[in-house]
Amino acid sequence: MKYAILNGKIVNRTEAKVDIEDRGYQFGDGVYEVIRVYNGKMFTAKEHMERFAKSSDSIGIKLPYNREQLTKMLEDLIEKNSLKLGIVYMQITRGVAPRNHAFPSAVAPCLTAYTKELPIPVNLLQTGVKTILTEDIRWLRCDIKSLNLLGNILAKQKAAEEGCYEAIQHRGQEVTEGSSSNIFIVKDGVVITHESNNLILKGITKDVILRACAGHHIRVEERTFTLNELSQADEVFLSSTTSEVTPIVAIDGKTVGDGQPGPVTRKLQALFKQEIEAQCGVL
Ligand code: PSZ
């Protein structure tokens, strides 16, 4: 990556530095987005811009650019970096101010963005991944895509230490979401996933999947489900911007179904690919 965005301007990557008193650095006082790029085009860009605006609005950071300007800025960055397949990361913090928990008055927010090359994880999509269960210890506004990711990081690290790809979080008996993904179960042909409330991030991949279900007469229940339902599921999968629709084949060492990605998961992977190709061209 040769170039990055610093406060609305494309600069050399090496010049994109922020102050040690930036509130993003001191307090995690900011929000972010990760957008997938296929064939040099952003996938579901509009939805990501909307969520970015919503996250920043919910913590009282006023975006210095509108969604069209942000989109154009990221498109220019993708072009400058000749990115074909990867991600673009964008974040905004409340800005630079002497340390004090309360919001500083009249400080300019700090917007940064960069790109990263990233292949499609074809192997994981085909074979599926192993997961662990862990108690969800995060705050009660998981709908905000906050820079504060300690709960998520600790959950992911626990998974990594057990040789697993993802940690499935639960509050008591109720499954919420992965450390960086939404979780779905399939039971008797019905796709079940946590409703989008304050306890999870309203995944954009999740919404693409739910729209695909609606368009193909696949029944959906958006509701909380329990650890017991998870253990009895025919199929389990996760979704995220970079993991797309990834089958889950084991949870805490216990095989899901017959240990192979199931038919509904496979179907949703195919529909997801169709949607990518409709927006970004043939992969
Ligand atoms: O590259 C990566 O590892 C990524 S890119 C996006 C994510 C991870 N995770 C997004 C996410 C999340 O962090 C949490 C807590 N829940 C759900 C999701 C899925 O959101 P979308 O589908 O919008 O990426």
Side-chain angles (χ1 to χ4, degrees):
M1 178 214 341
K2 196 154 186 291
Y3 299 100
I5 286 172
L6 181 63
N7 295 326
K9 280 206 291 284
I10 293 187
V11 298
N12 275 322
R13 168 67 187 90
T14 50
E15 289 163 27
K17 299 268 162 66
V18 293
D19 196 282
I20 57 167
E21 288 188 302
D22 186 284
R23 288 180 62 96
Y25 186 59
Q26 293 210 59
F27 296 113
D29 187 3
V31 296
Y32 75 106
E33 278 297 326
V34 180
I35 306 162
R36 200 41 158 134
V37 174
Y38 300 102
N39 294 326
K41 294 193 188 72
M42 282 187 282
F43 179 62
T44 55
K46 189 164 169 279
E47 289 87 342
H48 282 280
M49 298 306 153
E50 268 166 24
R51 190 170 66 185
F52 190 58
K54 212 172 143 199
S55 290
S56 89
D57 189 58
S58 69
I59 64 165
I61 292 179
K62 198 171 152 19
L63 281 183
Y65 304 96
N66 66 31
R67 290 169 220 184
E68 290 71 36
Q69 290 169 318
L70 285 174
T71 307
K72 176 74 171 59
M73 224 179 268
L74 296 184
E75 283 169 354
D76 289 347
L77 181 67
I78 290 163
E79 169 89 36
K80 271 281 237 179
N81 281 338
S82 308
L83 180 71
K84 296 293 173 236
L85 184 62
I87 56 134
V88 52
Y89 177 91
M90 163 171 66
Q91 76 166 45
I92 191 155
T93 72
R94 203 175 305 280
V96 178
R99 183 179 170 85
N100 180 3
H101 285 57
F103 298 175
S105 53
V107 61
C110 180
L111 179 83
T112 51
Y114 60 81
T115 63
K116 192 176 109 182
E117 286 186 23
L118 190 75
I120 295 169
V122 273
N123 276 339
L124 300 182
L125 293 175
Q126 245 159 50
T127 59
V129 296
K130 294 180 189 166
T131 61
I132 58 153
L133 291 171
T134 191
E135 183 70 33
D136 192 338
I137 61 164
R138 300 172 305 159
W139 71 332
L140 298 174
R141 289 303 307 274
C142 296
D143 53 319
I144 300 171
K145 206 161 167 56
S146 158
L147 295 180
N148 284 278
L149 290 171
L150 270 179
N152 310 62
I153 286 168
L154 293 177
K156 184 74 97 187
Q157 180 59 20
K158 196 171 163 203
E161 283 169 8
E162 297 188 32
C164 289
Y165 181 78
E166 180 60 303
I168 301 176
Q169 301 173 103
H170 55 93
R171 289 191 190 265
Q173 290 305 302
E174 291 183 349
V175 176
T176 51
E177 63 179 344
S179 73
S180 63
S181 61
N182 292 114
I183 303 292
F184 296 70
I185 60 173
V186 183
K187 186 68 181 174
D188 300 328
V190 183
V191 173
I192 305 164
T193 190
H194 197 288
E195 69 268 38
S196 292
N197 62 12
N198 63 307
L199 297 182
I200 66 161
L201 185 73
K202 185 174 161 59
I204 287 162
T205 317
K206 173 190 171 188
D207 280 351
V208 171
I209 293 165
L210 294 186
R211 278 201 298 277
C213 288
H216 290 81
H217 311 290
I218 299 168
R219 277 180 57 202
V220 169
E221 289 177 13
E222 242 189 311
R223 61 165 174 85
T224 51
F225 58 91
T226 63
L227 287 174
N228 190 43
E229 287 182 280
L230 178 67
S231 68
Q232 301 293 314
D234 301 326
E235 301 177 34
V236 183
F237 64 90
L238 61 82
S239 75
S240 85
T241 291
T242 48
S243 296
E244 304 182 354
V245 178
T246 295
I248 292 175
V249 294
I251 304 170
D252 272 350
K254 197 169 151 277
T255 301
V256 174
D258 61 1
Q260 300 292 317
V264 177
T265 306
R266 289 265 182 241
K267 174 76 180 167
L268 290 172
Q269 287 181 320
L271 293 173
F272 191 76
K273 188 164 180 219
Q274 276 179 25
E275 184 56 33
I276 295 170
E277 294 191 335
Q279 289 190 30
C280 302
V282 176
L283 292 174

